[in-house]
Amino acid sequence: MTNSSQPVLQIRDYSLAYHVPAGPVPVLKGINLQIERGEILGLVGESGSGKSTLAGAVMRYLSGNAHENDGGIFLGDTDLRAQTQRAMSDIRGRRMSMVFQDPATSLNPTLRLGEQLAEVLIRHRGLSRAQAWREGEARLAHVGLKTPAEMMHRMPHEVSGGEKQRVVIATAFACNPELIIFDEPTTALDVITSRQILDLFAELQSETGVASLYISHDLALVSQTAGRVAVLEKGNIVEEGETRELFRNPVHSYTRALIDAVPRPERRLVQPLAAASAPPLVTIRDVSVSYGRKSLLDSVLRRDFQAVVGNRAITLDIRPGEVLGIVGESGSGKSTLAKAMTGLNRFDGLIEFDGRPVRGLTDMNRDYRRDVQIIFQHPDASLNPRQKISEILARPIRLYGDRADGSARDRIAAMLERVRLPASYIDRYPHQLSGGEKQRIAIARAFLSNPRLVICDEITSALDVSVQASVIDLLMELHRDTGAAYVFITHDINLIRQIAHRIAVMYRGDLIEVVEADRIGDSDRAPYTQQLLSAVTAPASALGG
Amino acid sequence: MTDFLRRLLRTPQGFLGSLIVGLILIAVALGQWLTPYGPADMQALARYGAPSIEHWLGTDQYGRDILSRLLDGARSTVVMALLATFIGTLGGAVLGTGSAYLGGRADEFIMRTVDAVMAIPSLLLALLVVSLLGSSSANALLAIAIAFMPSMARISRSVALAVRKQDYVSAAIARGEGSTYIILREMLPNVIAPIVVEMTIRVSFAVMLFATLSFLGLGAQPPATDWGLMVSEARQYLHRSYWILLWPSAAIALTAIGFNLLGDGLRDALNPRT
Amino acid sequence: MSANYILKRIALIFYTLFIVSVLVFGITQILPADAAVMMLGENATQEALEALRQRMGLNDPVWMQYLHWAGGVLQGDFGTSLRTGQPVGPALFSALGTSLTLAGFALIFMLILAMPMGVIAAIRRGKPADLIVGFISYIGVSLPEFVTATLAVMLVADMWGLLPPAGYIPLSQDFWGGLERLILPVVVVSVMMIAHVSRMVRSELVDVMHTDYIRAARLKGLHPRRVLFRHGLRNALLPTITIVALDVGYLLGGVIVVEEIFSIPGIGRSLMSAIQNRDLPVIQAGVMIMAATYSIVNFAADLMYAWLDKRIQYD
């Protein structure tokens, strides 16, 4: 249908604005893009850059208040903007398809996986139910699922995240489309699983030669996947070029800033620990956490009760002023440990803080509470929406402050300046701040009590790359100034290699090992650590330099 | 406050609801001064009157002015419903949040028992309580308050549990705040909004339950001006005038609609993130 | 869903009935009524009254009376009516049959109307059809049954003479005549539920149509009909099962009013007259039967939900 000289996807001078009561909000401005057959174009942008809207525009799936200019979007020689919705439903799934961010939400939870794959084959290739089912099995085998026949009959909740995403990918490739849009297809997956999905994608891509638009916020990942990269900033494509070239010589300042913001393990942001031999600040001995409670019925029927294990006998030291990284996939028990240390979870075992034993909630006295602070992942959830910043930040001062330090308001203003926020924010509500600003408030709250240990639970994962970099800078600055020890929980291994002195690796509730940050790449590491590390996408600079 | 009102009046539900409820509250407060007739003034010559200049809504079987009776009845019906809802909500909220706070076996025991009580239809529960205490408006009030408690306990508990799981409460616990501060400053402001919304909608149920009890002869007794009682009495004189039936019915429906709309409007206006 | 879960739910039904029985027995004990006086009349001699009290166990401690009564209930003996002297059980169960016929028809009528109303409102969100359905449901939830009933009788029966104003004929006796008399009560008792359920269906479906998997289904190029029926409705209607089951409590309350107005000899009417006459055994048995009905309906709904939604793993 498409002749070989023509690009598969062509976007010309395309602009779009959302009309809201306050007036039009421009989202895409004069976009020009094209993708050739067999090519992968990476589209990089932060949240709010308009990248998802662009995907919607290509699929002709826009919300009612979207107003477009008269720019063109062509799939081969088909003018997509001239198609009716009915005609589009013939094109979607057949000539172009899409892979979404989170397979857990993009699959219908109440339909069998097989049906969700087969329905596309029935709709677009005119197969009968039986034929479609057989073809579906073959497709599932093709995306590396071991037991395709069984998989067809499973419900989404019965398979893992990686398996779900494989089914979604099989569906996208089912009708041999000309174009596939990948919208952050690995963001919701664990490190090792995303590596496998990326390998599968590369394999299918080279085999079918489908043109791909690969949307991601992750520069490092795009640098390894795409042949060409376009950088989207606030609706403008500020730079576009061949991947190697773009990373080696970024022209636009925004591109440069983005590349600089990507964590690089060899660029250490933390000084070596001065007193490595000092007695530990915190000693964690055989700390276990389990969830669940024996029900009345179980007791009546004298049945055994199986508790869910969160942590299994964790033993760990934290030195004064140390940054200890904890890495692991979701469900590895990283956050469970953080909650046990802050009295949010019951635990068995012993925590010693500065020589004082803590066996449970009752041992966590005023001093312990002041010395150990926690910062959560989502500032939206950790800041009370009905309290002003002034009240939120006044609490640690009221609880632990020194009368001599001046008025609470002055101290809050000083702290706001330290976390580089304007003093006028003191009378605002959290929802009037951006995500990065809210996280700075949460950091300010933790440091107002002059803690000796700060637990950071995935505090940058909800933030954009550039915002993340500035929050990390702030944390490291506070680390230098206050000398507080950090427990930094994250799944971003490149980031933790930059800022941690030692790294603890966790897997399914067990502590696998604790290693010096610069020795984590050594060949005598535990097998799981090696697996984890090899799954991490090497940062962009490795490719550029 | 002005910001909150502006948000409330911005939605059509909020606007209409505020308007209707506002008018009803004016009728409740000023009702007796708004009409020239007393609710019990009988005019033998003007029985079964259709709406006219002198009697805007007509007159009933004894020649009493219907508008005057409705305005008088607004006081008992609406005030009673508000009180009953408030008491029921308060009792339910204390029970529900207390249960959520206790947690574990105690929580399970309390909530299973609340569920059990909910197996008795609330109208039937109210009927039982009234028959136990005797038919009167005050007893009907108590009956409705009691009938509302189980479901309000359920709602408050689930709201309290949802708030309890929020990170800002975890943060307060980790910070070492006392339970008083956590409950009053961190949880309460976030728990109260959805309960107020539910309570507003409940007022309309209370108005209807109240009227139903009076209608069944177990609430207010003649010659009270309770709207449900007015409907009940009017049924016998249906063939003479349907106005005496229509107006109190419309008053009940309008009040219920008003509080329903207001509740939906409040739901949007009280959301801090919109 | 496991056997464990079913076991737990059944245990809960018994717990519910236990709590309800204690509650009802407690309330009826406090009631200022002397069963002996009621049976023998105001003029009975003190000796005769005392003898009857002795025989009925009215002088025993309350807990013994409760155990005696509960033991009887477990054997299917609900005691005898103070007013008629007849056993309570058989009379109430035949009345229950009548009420269930009324409630059953109302449930079916409600579903036939409320489901399409909710679906149409959801897929035509913001359009006139949605506004009309929204308007109807606001009116519907704001009209108590006795108002709807009175207005319906006034219009349909008195003014237009289309249907009989009251009365009941068992369907087994005269099917069409019985049905004719059931129309008004069924409509009246289902108005509130129609309004409530159509609103719930609408909001559930609106939520579902905004999920990622619906977007995915549309972007697979599926026919809009398939997206709505196979992907959307199924997930939207699941929670409705629970809502409808909970509404059955409300329906049973409405049945009491409607039976009273339309003179239908159901359990609601028996209960009303028992409450007016302080006929304690009938009140006790009637409330127990109502609570049991509600519990069983909700149990069935939970089973149905678990059967339809394989995601949920009860333990």
Side-chain angles (χ1 to χ4, degrees), chain A residues 272-300:
Chain A
L273 207 51
S277 56
L281 176 68
V282 185
T283 317
I284 297 169
R285 289 272 165 275
D286 288 324
V287 166
S288 302
V289 176
S290 55
Y291 298 106
R293 182 163 55 88
K294 195 169 168 152
S295 83
L296 200 62
L297 195 70
D298 286 333
S299 329
V300 171

Side-chain angles (χ1 to χ4, degrees), chain C residues 149-208:
Chain C
T150 320
L151 294 180
V153 169
M154 181 178 101
L155 279 178
V156 183
D158 287 0
M159 291 173 76
W160 303 335
L162 292 178
L163 291 167
Y168 174 79
I169 301 174
L171 292 182
S172 53
Q173 209 172 61
D174 171 4
F175 186 79
W176 294 113
L179 207 60
E180 195 182 39
R181 281 165 178 79
L182 265 179
I183 292 177
L184 278 185
V186 162
V187 172
V188 165
V189 89
S190 50
V191 165
M192 183 81 79
M193 279 182 91
I194 291 173
H196 186 222
V197 172
S198 65
R199 254 172 109 169
M200 287 297 154
V201 170
R202 177 190 179 275
S203 77
E204 288 291 341
L205 188 55
V206 165
D207 287 352
V208 166

